[in-house]
């Protein structure tokens, strides 16, 4: 078992106020996408439009805070893919697990993240170290 991870600091810089506002918009769109996906008959065109909006916001975030957001995207790709595979493996054995699933509650709305952070119920460490696992998945 791996007991010592190297690599040091994952992110450089901090989230700016503008970036945090855009992240909030992006996470609200993740909830809209999840809602559409969970419908009996998801509308592909609606999902494509939501995806475009998410990418537009991601591009704006990268323009205003490239050091932070590029690192976040790398983590989303690597760790989000691993999380997604864990979700698929869990489903294959009948275990109910998905993005934003925690020990004490499951299917937490993405849109709760920024308000909880602003109310000091989440640390910046959550945004930096855990959220990319969830958004990547």
């Amino acid at each position: 078992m791996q007991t010592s991870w190297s690599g040091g600091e994952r992110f450089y810089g901090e989230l700016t106020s503008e970036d945090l506002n855009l992240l909030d918009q992006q996470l609200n769109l993740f909830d809209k996408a999840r809602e559409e996906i969970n419908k009996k008959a998801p509308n592909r065109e609606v999902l494509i439009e939501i995806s475009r909006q998410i990418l537009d916001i991601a591009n704006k975030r990268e323009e205003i805070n490239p050091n932070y957001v590029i690192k976040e995207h790398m983590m989303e790709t690597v760790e989000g893919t691993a999380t997604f595979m864990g979700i698929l493996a869990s489903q294959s054995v009948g275990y109910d697990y998905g993005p934003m699933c925690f020990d004490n509650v499951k299917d937490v709305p993405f849109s709760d993240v920024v308000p909880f952070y602003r109310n000091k119920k989440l640390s910046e460490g959550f945004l930096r170290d855990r959220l990319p696992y969830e958004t990547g998945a």
Side-chain angles (χ1 to χ4, degrees), residues 72-85 132-133 136:
E72 180 185 80
H73 288 174
M74 289 186 331
M75 190 173 172
E76 281 179 326
T77 300
V78 174
E79 304 299 353
T81 301
T83 300
F84 179 73
M85 295 308 296
Y133 285 70

Side-chain angles (χ1 to χ4, degrees), residues 9-130:
E9 195 176 335
R10 290 185 189 153
F11 291 93
Y12 301 95
E14 296 180 8
L15 290 170
T16 65
S17 178
E18 184 181 6
D19 189 34
L20 196 58
N21 289 335
L22 289 168
L23 177 62
D24 191 32
Q25 292 173 33
Q26 190 173 5
L27 294 174
N28 277 282
L29 289 167
F30 275 46
D31 281 344
K32 285 185 176 185
R34 186 189 318 195
E35 183 180 307
E36 187 63 36
I37 288 166
N38 289 332
K39 288 182 178 178
K40 188 174 182 176
N43 184 320
R44 184 175 189 275
E45 295 305 315
V46 168
L47 288 169
I48 289 170
E49 180 54 32
I50 292 169
S51 297
R52 283 189 181 122
Q53 292 173 22
I54 290 169
L55 290 173
D56 286 346
I57 291 171
N59 289 334
K60 286 179 192 171
R61 288 185 62 218
E62 191 172 322
E63 285 175 20
I64 64 168
N65 197 348
N67 290 335
Y68 188 99
V69 176
I70 289 169
K71 300 278 186 194
E72 180 185 80
H73 288 174
M74 289 186 331
M75 190 173 172
E76 281 179 326
T77 300
V78 174
E79 304 299 353
T81 301
T83 300
F84 179 73
M85 295 308 296
I87 291 166
L88 292 180
S90 296
Q91 290 172 348
S92 73
V93 296
Y95 184 73
D96 190 13
Y97 175 66
M100 297 294 285
C101 183
F102 301 92
D103 292 340
N104 60 339
V105 65
K106 87 180 226 40
D107 297 328
V108 174
F110 285 100
S111 56
D112 283 356
V113 170
V114 173
F116 272 57
Y117 172 75
R118 285 184 172 142
N119 288 320
K120 310 237 185 288
K121 294 179 182 177
L122 288 175
S123 70
E124 188 170 343
F126 175 86
L127 299 180
R128 193 181 53 244
D129 299 329
R130 172 72 192 262

